[in-house]
Amino acid sequence: LLTGETGVGKSVIIKDFLMKSEEAIVSAFVNFSGKTSCRNLQDAFEGNLEAKRKTLLGPPAGKKMIFFVDDVNMPPLEKYGAQPPCELLRQTIDQGGFYDTKTLKFKQVTMTQFVLACGPPGGGRSAVTPRLFRHFNMIWVPNLSQMSMKTIFTQMLKGNLELKQGGGLAIYAEHIIKCAVE
């Protein structure tokens, strides 16, 4: 579980790691929002995992799956204080699967691990139940220093400006970023 303030690069760090991972690992990305439902998460499981049998889901043969769930604390709390998509995720981890809402049969999920990212509660994000977070080691990603932000964003803006209009505007990238950071 990577957590930290907005804009520190949690999602970029995880996606970069997963894209560079060995061939025996496949990955899938799920973004939670205020509109995410249990059905959305169930569809993500069924869409990214192969049906080995009617009630067994897993990655392709010889591979392992890593699901990256971004903004895990975005689903709103329901009447009793739970976040249904988070509860379905917790059930999948705790019990090794979930109940299919159409057939009411338990679908086992195998050879799958989960990586999560979220910001601290507030601003539309809710506190997630400790029953889910107990399964994860939390890593806090610190805020970038002003020097780091200037270096990173100057290079990004300079690269974009060089692609446009023959690169004549790229000389202003450093000044624009300096003003923005300040």
Side-chain angles (χ1 to χ4, degrees):
L1 166 65
L2 256 66
T3 189
E5 298 295 334
T6 302
V8 296
K10 302 176 295 287
S11 302
V12 172
I13 292 168
I14 295 170
K15 287 180 181 179
D16 184 56
F17 170 76
L18 293 175
M19 297 311 247
K20 292 179 180 176
S21 61
E22 57 189 78
E23 290 182 23
I25 296 175
V26 293
S27 57
F29 307 106
V30 180
N31 290 316
F32 277 12
S33 72
K35 299 290 185 188
T36 302
S37 67
C38 289
R39 183 77 225 164
N40 299 132
L41 184 58
Q42 185 176 336
D43 289 344
F45 289 150
E46 292 174 347
N48 289 292
L49 296 168
E50 291 182 356
K52 306 289 185 181
R53 294 190 301 265
K54 276 187 173 183
T55 59
L56 178 63
L57 300 172
K63 303 210 181 241
K64 294 179 182 178
M65 171 64 82
I66 297 179
F67 260 94
F68 170 43
V69 182
D70 200 6
D71 290 327
V72 72
N73 58 346
M74 285 300 289
L77 298 174
E78 49 107 66
K79 181 179 177 180
Y80 298 103
Q83 293 170 290
C86 293
E87 292 302 323
L88 179 61
L89 182 60
R90 183 194 56 78
Q91 178 187 23
T92 304
I93 295 168
D94 277 347
Q95 299 176 1
F98 58 92
Y99 284 93
D100 187 333
T101 54
K102 292 178 184 170
T103 64
L104 302 180
K105 292 186 179 182
F106 188 78
K107 288 195 171 182
Q108 187 178 5
V109 176
T110 185
M111 302 293 288
T112 302
Q113 293 186 350
F114 297 91
V115 176
L116 310 179
C118 68
R125 297 180 300 259
S126 304
V128 177
T129 174
R131 295 187 307 164
L132 173 60
F133 279 178
R134 70 186 167 140
H135 295 288
F136 297 91
N137 294 309
M138 184 183 294
I139 300 170
W140 178 264
V141 180
N143 288 334
L144 297 171
S145 68
Q146 282 195 355
M147 182 70 160
S148 296
M149 282 194 290
K150 287 178 184 176
T151 302
I152 293 167
F153 294 129
T154 298
Q155 292 305 314
M156 290 172 62
L157 182 59
K158 191 181 283 187
N160 283 325
L161 292 175
E162 286 174 353
L163 295 174
K164 305 212 181 336
Q165 302 171 352
L169 298 176
I171 59 171
Y172 300 110
E174 190 171 334
H175 300 293
I176 293 169
I177 296 302
K178 182 177 183 246
C179 291
V181 168
E182 288 176 3

mmCIF file of all heavy atoms in Angstrom, residues 33-49:
data_model
loop_
_atom_site.group_PDB
_atom_site.id
_atom_site.type_symbol
_atom_site.label_atom_id
_atom_site.label_comp_id
_atom_site.label_asym_id
_atom_site.label_seq_id
_atom_site.Cartn_x
_atom_site.Cartn_y
_atom_site.Cartn_z
ATOM 1 N N SER A 33 -13.190 5.240 -7.844
ATOM 2 C CA SER A 33 -13.682 6.619 -7.827
ATOM 3 C C SER A 33 -14.890 6.677 -6.909
ATOM 4 O O SER A 33 -15.287 5.671 -6.326
ATOM 5 C CB SER A 33 -14.068 7.061 -9.237
ATOM 6 O OG SER A 33 -15.261 6.414 -9.640
ATOM 7 N N GLY A 34 -15.507 7.821 -6.840
ATOM 8 C CA GLY A 34 -16.714 7.972 -6.039
ATOM 9 C C GLY A 34 -17.891 7.199 -6.608
ATOM 10 O O GLY A 34 -18.895 7.008 -5.928
ATOM 11 N N LYS A 35 -17.782 6.736 -7.844
ATOM 12 C CA LYS A 35 -18.865 5.991 -8.496
ATOM 13 C C LYS A 35 -18.564 4.499 -8.644
ATOM 14 O O LYS A 35 -19.356 3.763 -9.215
ATOM 15 C CB LYS A 35 -19.127 6.564 -9.893
ATOM 16 C CG LYS A 35 -19.567 8.010 -9.888
ATOM 17 C CD LYS A 35 -20.944 8.143 -9.331
ATOM 18 C CE LYS A 35 -21.432 9.579 -9.444
ATOM 19 N NZ LYS A 35 -22.674 9.796 -8.757
ATOM 20 N N THR A 36 -17.439 4.035 -8.136
ATOM 21 C CA THR A 36 -17.071 2.623 -8.263
ATOM 22 C C THR A 36 -18.027 1.756 -7.454
ATOM 23 O O THR A 36 -18.309 2.037 -6.296
ATOM 24 C CB THR A 36 -15.629 2.384 -7.788
ATOM 25 O OG1 THR A 36 -14.757 3.199 -8.561
ATOM 26 C CG2 THR A 36 -15.225 0.929 -7.952
ATOM 27 N N SER A 37 -18.495 0.697 -8.081
ATOM 28 C CA SER A 37 -19.400 -0.235 -7.405
ATOM 29 C C SER A 37 -18.731 -1.602 -7.310
ATOM 30 O O SER A 37 -17.705 -1.855 -7.941
ATOM 31 C CB SER A 37 -20.712 -0.356 -8.193
ATOM 32 O OG SER A 37 -20.462 -0.990 -9.438
ATOM 33 N N CYS A 38 -19.346 -2.489 -6.552
ATOM 34 C CA CYS A 38 -18.851 -3.860 -6.459
ATOM 35 C C CYS A 38 -18.880 -4.528 -7.836
ATOM 36 O O CYS A 38 -17.996 -5.302 -8.179
ATOM 37 C CB CYS A 38 -19.687 -4.662 -5.470
ATOM 38 S SG CYS A 38 -19.409 -4.174 -3.765
ATOM 39 N N ARG A 39 -19.892 -4.205 -8.611
ATOM 40 C CA ARG A 39 -20.017 -4.779 -9.956
ATOM 41 C C ARG A 39 -18.820 -4.381 -10.825
ATOM 42 O O ARG A 39 -18.306 -5.190 -11.587
ATOM 43 C CB ARG A 39 -21.325 -4.301 -10.593
ATOM 44 C CG ARG A 39 -21.599 -4.881 -11.947
ATOM 45 C CD ARG A 39 -22.085 -6.307 -11.818
ATOM 46 N NE ARG A 39 -21.395 -7.113 -12.803
ATOM 47 C CZ ARG A 39 -21.320 -8.423 -12.797
ATOM 48 N NH1 ARG A 39 -21.884 -9.109 -11.841
ATOM 49 N NH2 ARG A 39 -20.691 -9.068 -13.717
ATOM 50 N N ASN A 40 -18.363 -3.114 -10.703
ATOM 51 C CA ASN A 40 -17.187 -2.668 -11.453
ATOM 52 C C ASN A 40 -15.960 -3.491 -11.083
ATOM 53 O O ASN A 40 -15.192 -3.898 -11.967
ATOM 54 C CB ASN A 40 -16.883 -1.194 -11.187
ATOM 55 C CG ASN A 40 -17.980 -0.249 -11.597
ATOM 56 O OD1 ASN A 40 -18.358 0.625 -10.819
ATOM 57 N ND2 ASN A 40 -18.533 -0.398 -12.787
ATOM 58 N N LEU A 41 -15.771 -3.742 -9.796
ATOM 59 C CA LEU A 41 -14.613 -4.516 -9.353
ATOM 60 C C LEU A 41 -14.727 -5.963 -9.795
ATOM 61 O O LEU A 41 -13.755 -6.560 -10.264
ATOM 62 C CB LEU A 41 -14.456 -4.427 -7.834
ATOM 63 C CG LEU A 41 -13.225 -5.109 -7.245
ATOM 64 C CD1 LEU A 41 -11.937 -4.561 -7.846
ATOM 65 C CD2 LEU A 41 -13.215 -4.973 -5.732
ATOM 66 N N GLN A 42 -15.912 -6.536 -9.687
ATOM 67 C CA GLN A 42 -16.125 -7.910 -10.135
ATOM 68 C C GLN A 42 -15.858 -8.022 -11.640
ATOM 69 O O GLN A 42 -15.216 -8.971 -12.089
ATOM 70 C CB GLN A 42 -17.544 -8.357 -9.813
ATOM 71 C CG GLN A 42 -17.815 -9.817 -10.133
ATOM 72 C CD GLN A 42 -19.205 -10.244 -9.706
ATOM 73 O OE1 GLN A 42 -19.819 -9.657 -8.825
ATOM 74 N NE2 GLN A 42 -19.709 -11.290 -10.333
ATOM 75 N N ASP A 43 -16.312 -7.048 -12.418
ATOM 76 C CA ASP A 43 -16.037 -7.044 -13.865
ATOM 77 C C ASP A 43 -14.541 -6.955 -14.138
ATOM 78 O O ASP A 43 -14.036 -7.580 -15.071
ATOM 79 C CB ASP A 43 -16.768 -5.886 -14.548
ATOM 80 C CG ASP A 43 -18.271 -6.084 -14.615
ATOM 81 O OD1 ASP A 43 -18.743 -7.226 -14.420
ATOM 82 O OD2 ASP A 43 -18.984 -5.083 -14.853
ATOM 83 N N ALA A 44 -13.818 -6.161 -13.334
ATOM 84 C CA ALA A 44 -12.368 -6.053 -13.501
ATOM 85 C C ALA A 44 -11.692 -7.393 -13.226
ATOM 86 O O ALA A 44 -10.779 -7.796 -13.966
ATOM 87 C CB ALA A 44 -11.806 -4.981 -12.570
ATOM 88 N N PHE A 45 -12.133 -8.097 -12.193
ATOM 89 C CA PHE A 45 -11.578 -9.423 -11.915
ATOM 90 C C PHE A 45 -11.839 -10.371 -13.081
ATOM 91 O O PHE A 45 -10.941 -11.026 -13.591
ATOM 92 C CB PHE A 45 -12.175 -10.024 -10.635
ATOM 93 C CG PHE A 45 -11.723 -9.380 -9.360
ATOM 94 C CD1 PHE A 45 -12.557 -9.343 -8.263
ATOM 95 C CD2 PHE A 45 -10.462 -8.824 -9.231
ATOM 96 C CE1 PHE A 45 -12.154 -8.757 -7.071
ATOM 97 C CE2 PHE A 45 -10.043 -8.233 -8.054
ATOM 98 C CZ PHE A 45 -10.893 -8.210 -6.972
ATOM 99 N N GLU A 46 -13.088 -10.433 -13.488
ATOM 100 C CA GLU A 46 -13.467 -11.384 -14.535
ATOM 101 C C GLU A 46 -12.888 -11.002 -15.899
ATOM 102 O O GLU A 46 -12.625 -11.867 -16.726
ATOM 103 C CB GLU A 46 -14.988 -11.510 -14.603
ATOM 104 C CG GLU A 46 -15.544 -12.181 -13.354
ATOM 105 C CD GLU A 46 -17.061 -12.198 -13.294
ATOM 106 O OE1 GLU A 46 -17.715 -11.486 -14.089
ATOM 107 O OE2 GLU A 46 -17.596 -12.917 -12.426
ATOM 108 N N GLY A 47 -12.672 -9.700 -16.128
ATOM 109 C CA GLY A 47 -12.122 -9.260 -17.405
ATOM 110 C C GLY A 47 -10.623 -9.430 -17.522
ATOM 111 O O GLY A 47 -10.091 -9.537 -18.623
ATOM 112 N N ASN A 48 -9.914 -9.458 -16.399
ATOM 113 C CA ASN A 48 -8.453 -9.548 -16.429
ATOM 114 C C ASN A 48 -7.906 -10.917 -16.039
ATOM 115 O O ASN A 48 -6.721 -11.176 -16.226
ATOM 116 C CB ASN A 48 -7.851 -8.480 -15.506
ATOM 117 C CG ASN A 48 -8.022 -7.096 -16.065
ATOM 118 O OD1 ASN A 48 -7.423 -6.739 -17.066
ATOM 119 N ND2 ASN A 48 -8.875 -6.306 -15.440
ATOM 120 N N LEU A 49 -8.744 -11.752 -15.473
ATOM 121 C CA LEU A 49 -8.331 -13.105 -15.099
ATOM 122 C C LEU A 49 -9.014 -14.100 -16.019
ATOM 123 O O LEU A 49 -10.141 -13.887 -16.454
ATOM 124 C CB LEU A 49 -8.705 -13.390 -13.642
ATOM 125 C CG LEU A 49 -8.005 -12.518 -12.599
ATOM 126 C CD1 LEU A 49 -8.661 -12.686 -11.232
ATOM 127 C CD2 LEU A 49 -6.532 -12.859 -12.522
#
